[in-house]
Amino acid sequence: MPRVLCVCLGNICRSPAAEGVLRAKAGERRMKLDIDSAGTGAWHVGAPPDKRMIAAAAARGLDISGQRARQVDLADFYEFDFILAMDSSNYADLKDMAPPNKECALHLFLEFAKGDTLETPDPYYGGAEGFDHVLDLVERGAAGFLNFLERR
Ligand code: 4NP
């Protein structure tokens, strides 16, 4: 069963959305996946997702309220088959952390979306529309990633 870790900065907005959307879409396709998310930063460890992301996800029928933030750990590079970074800053931080002797499948989440952007913008300091935009992007990335897994 492929193990997939979605990573953003705080693990309260983008990567919890990615985790929730991936889990829902994998379930719809009857695909067995082990899915988790984490943040490169530690500020929100133990916290539930941001209320605004919980609300935006709920409006699409997705309950992400049970998730709790954690920080990405060196062990994650051994425990997951894929680590999917939400933006290129998260990607660079993960690349710096990655054990040199470990061939790790580190990707940008939106590589699989085949859209106009590779960056999932941080919605934290913006308005409600930013959270919806993240969900739009994440839905495309998740569908593309699951297609990639199915065709592998
Ligand atoms: P996330 O958003 O990386 O999508 O979870 C952020 C949440 C909190 C902070 C930054 C980004 N923060 O600086 O507290």
Side-chain angles (χ1 to χ4, degrees):
M1 171 158 53
R3 297 159 299 177
V4 185
L5 181 69
C6 305
V7 177
C8 63
L9 179 59
N11 193 211
I12 56 168
C13 300
R14 293 166 293 173
S15 60
E19 177 184 339
V21 168
L22 259 184
R23 188 168 291 126
K25 285 192 184 294
E28 284 165 14
R29 297 184 189 209
R30 304 272 182 272
M31 290 174 72
K32 296 259 182 259
L33 281 189
D34 199 343
I35 306 163
D36 195 8
S37 65
T40 57
W43 308 283
H44 301 282
V45 168
D50 188 295
K51 285 191 183 70
R52 296 165 293 175
M53 189 54 90
I54 291 177
R60 299 183 188 212
L62 214 60
D63 181 7
I64 63 166
S65 64
Q67 295 186 36
R68 294 296 176 268
R70 72 171 180 89
Q71 190 173 26
V72 70
D73 186 78
L74 202 57
D76 290 321
F77 290 88
Y78 297 92
E79 282 164 17
F80 289 90
D81 302 303
F82 294 94
I83 298 186
L84 306 180
M86 303 312 296
D87 70 24
S88 47
S89 163
N90 310 144
Y91 183 94
D93 290 342
L94 289 162
K95 196 103 186 140
D96 285 345
M97 276 185 79
N101 58 341
K102 178 79 175 81
E103 189 71 30
C104 186
L106 177 60
H107 295 272
L108 279 162
F109 193 90
L110 292 184
E111 280 175 41
F112 301 95
K114 302 206 172 10
D116 305 331
T117 181
L118 292 172
E119 304 291 319
T120 311
D122 185 350
Y124 191 66
Y125 294 105
E129 70 288 348
F131 291 81
D132 251 340
H133 181 54
V134 166
L135 284 167
D136 289 340
L137 292 171
V138 157
E139 284 178 358
R140 288 189 59 172
F145 179 65
L146 295 177
N147 290 341
F148 158 80
L149 286 183
E150 281 182 333
R151 288 177 192 145
R152 182 167 74 120

